[in-house]
Amino acid sequence: MTVVLIFLAVVVSTSMWWLSHQRLGAKPWLESGLDSLDQGSHKVSLPKAKVGLLVILAVVGMLFTLFFSSHFMRQEIEDWRQIPLPSMIWINGILLLGASIYLQYALVTARRQASQVQVLGGETPMPVDVRNDGNNNDSVRPLLINACVLTVAFLIGQVITWYEVAGNGFYLSSNPSSTFFYVLTGLHGLHIIGGLAVLFHTTVLTRSDTQLHGIVTRVDLCALYWHFLFFIWCVMIFVMLGWTYDPFIELCQRVFL
Amino acid sequence: MKTALALVVLVIGSVVFHLLSPWWWTPIATNWVFMDNMISLTFWITGFVYVVILLFVAYCVYKFRYREGRVAAYEPENHKLETWLTVVTSLGVAALLAPGLVVWFQFVTVPEAATEVEVVGQQWSWSFRLPGADGKLGTADNRLISDGNTLGINPEDPYGQDDIVIDGDDLHLAVGQPVKMLLRSVDVLHNFYVPEFRAKMDMVPGMITYFWMEPTRVGTYDVLCAELCGVGHGYMSGTVMIDTDEDYALWLSEQTTFVEMSANK
Amino acid sequence: MVEIKSTSHPSVPPAELEEVELYHATNFWTKYVFSQDAKIIAIQYSGVAIAVGLVALVLSSLIRLQLGFPEMFDFITPETYYQFVTMHGMIMVVYLLTALFLGGFGNYLIPLMIGARDMAFPYVNMLSFWIYFLAVLVLVTSFFVPGGPTGAGWTLYPPQAILSGTPGGKGLGIILMLLSLALFIVGFTMGGLNYVVTVLQMRTRGMTMMRLPLTVWGIFTATVLALLAFPALLVATVMMLFDRLLGTSFFMPSLVEFGDQLSYGGGSPILFQHLFWFFGHPEVYIVALPAFGIVSDLISTHARKNIFGYRMMVWAIVGIGALSFIVWAHHMYVSGMHPYFGFFFATTTLIIAVPTALKVYNWILTLWNGNIHLTTPMLFSLGFIVTFLNGGLTGLFLGNVIVDIPLSDTMFVVAHFHMVMGVAPILVIFGAIYHWYPKVTGRMLDERLGQIHFWVTFVGSYLIFFPMHYIGLVGVPRRYPELGDAAFIPDSVATLNSFISLAAFTVGIAQILFLYNLFRSLRKGQPSGHNPWRATTLEWQTAQTPPGHGNFGPELPLVYRWPYDYSVPGASEDFLAQNDPGPIAKGGSA
C-alpha cells in the first residue's frame, strides 16, 4: 500500500500547491468589493476539457497504482512464481511509443497551423473556409492516421502476447503472476480502446473543415492521454517483470525498519 | 425555550441512563483490566465534553433566540480562541491516545512464559489443539485436511504427533497461566470471541493470527463468533472453561492426541 | 463567444468571458428525460436515491422486527436476515447518501452557488445519471433472482462472500452486487469529473475560492475524495468478480468448504480488506463533508450570523479530506494484519478527531451571539450537532486500537456508525430539503408538519441508537439474527431490543409525514418568493424561482463579498447578498 500512498502524495501535493495559490490564508470578510475581481478566481489557466482530462488521469493513475500495489503485496507470499513474458511485448512497447510520437507531432503541427491561420487573419482568427489549398487540417490528418494504425497494431500485438503466454501453459487462473498479467494488460487495453474511439472521431473530424481551434484541443487531449497510457504501460511491464520490486522493497525496508 | 429545554432533558437523560444502566460489560476473566480502564477513561473524557458542549448549545438556543429587534454579532474569527481550543482538544486526544498505545504495545508483545493453544474455526463450529507433552504445536495446512485429519495437521511433522485435538468439544485453560491463542481458519473469516476475555482477533484462512491473555477467574464462558461467516454465524457457539490447576491437569489427561486419533480412524 | 456588457457598472469588465454554449433542449425527452440541465439531473438523482432509500428503510424495519421480536416471523430466516442487513447497508451508504449528496445536492447547488449556468460537461453529466440509474436497476434485480440478493454484509468480505455458506454467494446475488457497484463507480467518476472541473473553472467573476460557501467546499472536497477512493473499490470488485467467475485467487486462500477442498490457493482475504477500506473510510467522509458544508450554511443563515472561523472551516475540510486517506486500517484492528499497523492508524485516527472537533466548536460559536430563528432547517441543524457529537465521540472509543479490541464487531460499532453516518447526515439532508425546497419549487414546505417531522425523527433516532451502545458494551455481537441463550446476556437486553424496535418503527412511519409534506406543498405550499430565508448565497439571487434555464438570466452575477455577511454592522438589512455591491463590510475582529 506504500506505493498507493506515494501516488496519493503526488496528487495531494499538486492539489495543495494549487490550493496554496488560492490564498487560503485570506480573510474574505475583509476583502469585499470590486478590487478583488482582478485578484481573480485564479482558475487553472487551461481549457476546461484539459482540466477534465487531468482529473481523469488522476483517477486512472489511481486505479493502476492500486493494482500495482496489490501485485507487490501478492509477490511477497512465498508461492509466487514469476511468469516469463514473451519478447513481443517490447515490440508492442515500441508501437505504442510510436503512436505517442505521432500524436505529439500532430499536436505540434496543428498548433503551428492554427497560429499561422491567426497571423494571416489578423486580430480575429480566420474562418476556415478561407483556404489556400485544400483543408487546413490536411497536414494533421496523416499523422493522426498513423497514430491510429500504430495503436491498433499495438492492440493486436498485445492479443498475440496473450496467445503466446497461454501457449506456454499460463492461463488466467494458473498462478497469481499470470492472473495479474492478463488482468493488467486487459485493463490497459480497455483504456487504449476507449482512447481510440476518441482518436477515430478526431481523425474523422479532420476530413471536414472543423475549426482548427477545436482540432488543436482534441489532439492535445489525445496526445496527453497516449503519453500517460504509455507511461502506465512501462511501469506495468517493469512491475510484471519484477524489476521494480527488489529495489523498491529494499527502499521500503530501509525507510521503515 | 422549549427547544433548549428539550436539549437539556436529552443531555440529563443520557447521563442518567448511563449511570443507571444495568447494561454494562460482563465481569472480566483475564488480565486485560487495562482495556476496561481505558473504556472508563474514555467515557469520562467524552462524557464531560458531551455534557458541556450540549449544555452550551442549549444555553445559546435559549439566550440568543430570535426576538424582535435583536441583532446578531458580527464575529468572523477569533484567532486566540481557536488556537486555545485546538490546543485543549489536542491535549485531550493525546490523553486518550498515549495510554491506549502503551497498553496496545503490551497486547502485541507476548510474554515468554505463555503457552500456546490453537483455535481452529470452521463453518460453523470450533476445534482446538494443544501442543502436548513436547510443548510445541506441529505445522498444519488446509490442504492436508481430510476425514481422518479434520484440522489439517502435518502427519510428517514430529512435533504434531503428540498434539491434543479437541474436535467440537469444550476448551479448558488453566487459571493464572498466560496463553497465546493461535488462530486458524479452515474456510472463511471467523473471530474467536469470549466477552469475558476482552481480547479477540479474526481468524483468517491461509494465515495464523494470535492474541494473548492470562485467565484470572475460574468459570465457564461462552465462545461466540465475531466475524460474519455465513448463515450459521449467529449459531456458532462454543464453550471455554477456566479451571484450577488440578482440574485442568485432570481434564488434560483425558484428552486424545493426534496420533491416537489417527490410529482410531 | 458571448460577451455581455454589465449594465450596472460600465467600468467593470463583464462577468462572462468564457465560451458559453448552453445546450438548449427542444423536446420532452431532451428536456426532462435525457436532460443536460444540472437542475433536472439533480432532481433525477434525488428522486431515485430517495426511492431506493425508502426500500432500505423498509429493510431496516424488517431487521428491527427480527431483533425486537425474534422468532415471531417465519419469513425472517438467517438467510433473509443477512440479505436484509447487506442490502440495507449498501443501499444506504452508496446508493442513497453518496448519490443524494453529490449527485443530488451537488448538481443542483454547485452551478447556482458559484454563479455558473451549468456544469462543465453537461452531456457527460446526463450520462452519469443514467449509468447510476442502471446501477440501481441491476442492484434491485438481485432481489428477484434465484437465491436472492447477497447476504455477505455490506463489507462483502471474502472468502465467505463468494461461497455457498452465504446467501447469493454461489448464485447471481453477489455477481449482480459487484456489477452494480462497478457501474456506480463509472457513473460517479463521470459526475465527479463535472463537479470538480466546474468548481475549478466556472466560477463567476469575483468568486474566489475563499468566497465559496462551505456547502461548495464540502461537496467539492468530497468529490475529490470520491474520485481517488472509488478506484480502490473498483479494483476490489473486479478482483472478486474474477475470483467468483474465473477461478482466480486474488482473495481466496486454500480452503475446505464443508468438506470439499476447493481449487483456490494463495490469495489474501486481508488484501480485500485493505482495498475495501482504503475506499471505505474516505467514503464516510464523502458522506460527511457535504453534510458539514451544508449545515454550516444552514446554521449561518437561520441564525443570521456569519459562520465563525470560516478559514479554519475550509482548512478543516481540506485537512480532514487529506487525512481520511491514511486512517483506513482502523476498520481492521482485529483483522489479523501486522500488529504494528495498529500504532500508526490509531494515531492518525485520533489526529483526525482534532479538525473535526474544531468544526463542531465553530458551529456552536456561530450560534453564540446569533439571532436564532428556530425554523425547521435550524432544528435539523441542531439535531445534527447533537447526533454528530455523540457519534464522533464514540469514534474516539473505537479509534483507540486497544479499546476497539473488546468493542469491535459488537453492537457498539453499529450504534456508532448509525449515529455518526446515518442519523447525523440524514438530519442534514432533511434540513437541506426544507431549506432549498422553496428555491426548487417556488413554494414553502409546511412549517408545522416540518417541526413534527423533526421532533419525531430526532428524538426517535436518538432513542434507537443511544441505548444500542450499551447493548454493545454488554458484549452482544453484531450481525446476529437473534440473541440466543448465551449466559452473559441478561434478559433485559431483549426488552431493550424490543423498545429500540418500537422506536425504529415510529421513526420509519413518521417519514410518511415528510413525503406527504413534499408532495402536498408542490400545489398547496405557500409561495416563497425568490429569497424567503433572506440568504446571501447566489442561488437565492436568481431572476426566476425556480431558476430558469441558464440559471441567472442574461447576465451572470458579479461577486463582491464572502457568503456570510449577515448582520453586518452599519448595513440597512441583516444580510448582504454576495452579488450586492452595497456598503463595503467593515472587517470584524481578527
Side-chain angles (χ1 to χ4, degrees), chain B residues 4 37 45 97 103 110 120 122 126 196 219 247:
Chain B
N37 294 345
I45 295 183
L97 185 64
V103 185
V110 183
V120 181
Q122 59 189 283
W126 303 97
E196 289 88 346
D247 288 340

Side-chain angles (χ1 to χ4, degrees), chain B residues 100-116:
Chain B
L101 291 184
V102 167
V103 185
W104 176 248
F105 181 72
Q106 292 168 0
F107 187 76
V108 302
T109 315
V110 183
E112 292 273 323
T115 56
E116 289 182 346

Side-chain angles (χ1 to χ4, degrees), chain A residues 25-26 31 33-34 36 41 46, chain C residues 201 203 211 266 311 315 560 587:
Chain A
E31 296 166 5
L34 290 176
S36 27
S41 329
L46 293 169
Chain C
Q201 298 297 83
R203 285 167 282 133
R211 282 176 172 178
R311 290 194 297 169
W315 299 344
Y560 297 89

Side-chain angles (χ1 to χ4, degrees), chain C residues 133-149:
Chain C
F133 184 68
L134 186 61
V136 170
L137 281 182
V138 171
L139 187 73
V140 168
T141 310
S142 69
F143 279 107
F144 302 105
V145 296

Side-chain angles (χ1 to χ4, degrees), chain A residues 1-13:
Chain A
M1 295 308 277
T2 331
V3 115
V4 174
L5 291 174
I6 294 176
F7 177 84
L8 210 50
V10 168
V11 172
V12 167
S13 36

Side-chain angles (χ1 to χ4, degrees), chain B residues 224-244:
Chain B
L224 300 160
C225 182
E227 186 61 62
L228 181 58
C229 56
V231 293
H233 170 63
Y235 306 95
M236 186 171 159
S237 55
T239 313
V240 106
M241 297 182 68
I242 308 296
D243 295 332
T244 58

